[in-house]
Amino acid sequence: MLTFLKNLADNTKAGSLADRLRKKRFALFLEVLAGMPKPIRIIDVGGTELFWERMGFIGVEGVHITLLNLVETEVRHQGFISVQGDGTDLSRYNDKEFDMAFSNSVIEHVGSLDDQRKMASEIRRVARRYFVQTPNRYFPLEPHFLFPFFQFLPDWLQVRLLMNFSLGWYRKTPDKEKAHRICRSIRLLSRAELCMLFPRAEIHKESFFGCTKSFIVLGE
């Protein structure tokens, strides 16, 4: 069962369910991109060069990608630059400076709902179009801790579980404060909240066994 759950949420293993869903999601992104004139400037909030490599999107003529993360990293491919920054504050960039803002499974990690609102507002401001993916709060299996309905448990119980067990991608964390920080570092979003954060955007569902596993937000 644990192997199955990790395959469901594994963001790194080629051929895993998560990898197949990611490639299907990226195909939708490519459809959107195909209708845009080049050159195209993309800002990937919280993304990595490795992600684009896995999607086979390297050396694409007329496409320039800015990878924005809390820590600047070295890039290996032409057309990519890495910058240090915070997705909730893109004030270094002008309005509509980018043609596309892209973000994959990041907005649930930036903090409170107010922080998520800031990130959504900045994405809408700096880009003419945007493509944002995030897990569904109401999917039965919490995708980071791989524990059913973990997101709905009270804080004290989440912390207690992590202090005593390795959960999903997190090892057992006996330190109470550290366990609390980890548990509070993820805030999953509902469809209603996404509609509030991205008004007038299209919300696409990614399904698994009849349940909505995650959402893709498309807007301009």
Side-chain angles (χ1 to χ4, degrees), residues 105-111 116 133-135 144 185-188:
S105 294
V106 172
I107 195 169
E108 69 270 20
H109 293 282
V110 299
Q116 291 170 328
Q133 185 272 347
T134 189
H144 306 89
S185 69
I186 300 165
R187 185 184 183 282
L188 300 180

Side-chain angles (χ1 to χ4, degrees), residues 99-137:
D99 302 294
M100 171 69 75
F102 181 92
S103 188
N104 187 67
S105 294
V106 172
I107 195 169
E108 69 270 20
H109 293 282
V110 299
S112 65
L113 179 59
D114 187 54
D115 293 320
Q116 291 170 328
R117 184 182 291 109
K118 290 175 182 176
M119 176 175 167
S121 178
E122 286 290 76
I123 281 176
R124 290 160 46 212
R125 181 185 66 81
V126 302
R128 294 179 174 83
R129 305 190 73 172
Y130 52 87
F131 186 106
V132 176
Q133 185 272 347
T134 189
N136 174 23
R137 174 174 172 77

Side-chain angles (χ1 to χ4, degrees), residues 6-136:
K6 287 203 170 186
N7 183 55
L8 173 62
D10 194 342
N11 286 321
T12 60
K13 186 178 179 181
S16 67
L17 174 62
D19 183 61
R20 295 196 300 272
L21 288 174
R22 184 168 56 244
K23 287 178 178 176
K24 182 178 180 181
R25 179 187 314 148
F26 197 74
L28 175 61
F29 173 73
L30 291 179
E31 288 181 19
V32 176
L33 215 61
M36 299 172 62
K38 293 181 179 179
I40 299 173
R41 294 195 65 198
I42 299 173
I43 181 168
D44 182 356
V45 180
T48 66
E49 191 177 34
L50 179 60
F51 169 86
W52 297 91
E53 288 178 353
R54 287 177 172 161
M55 295 301 103
F57 200 85
I58 296 296
V60 179
E61 186 177 352
V63 179
H64 308 278
I65 301 175
T66 297
L67 304 169
L68 183 136
N69 289 279
L70 295 176
V71 177
E72 183 179 340
T73 59
E74 183 179 352
V75 296
R76 300 186 297 120
H77 298 289
Q78 187 175 358
F80 287 83
I81 64 168
S82 173
V83 298
Q84 186 276 331
D86 186 334
T88 65
D89 180 9
L90 303 178
S91 55
R92 70 171 72 184
Y93 299 116
N94 297 324
D95 293 358
K96 310 307 178 190
E97 185 166 338
F98 295 91
D99 302 294
M100 171 69 75
F102 181 92
S103 188
N104 187 67
S105 294
V106 172
I107 195 169
E108 69 270 20
H109 293 282
V110 299
S112 65
L113 179 59
D114 187 54
D115 293 320
Q116 291 170 328
R117 184 182 291 109
K118 290 175 182 176
M119 176 175 167
S121 178
E122 286 290 76
I123 281 176
R124 290 160 46 212
R125 181 185 66 81
V126 302
R128 294 179 174 83
R129 305 190 73 172
Y130 52 87
F131 186 106
V132 176
Q133 185 272 347
T134 189
N136 174 23

Side-chain angles (χ1 to χ4, degrees), residues 151-161 180 183-184:
Q151 63 271 41
F152 300 113
L153 298 178
D155 290 356
W156 68 267
L157 183 52
Q158 289 183 355
V159 172
R160 183 65 61 84
L161 285 168
H180 186 267
C183 292
R184 296 279 59 77

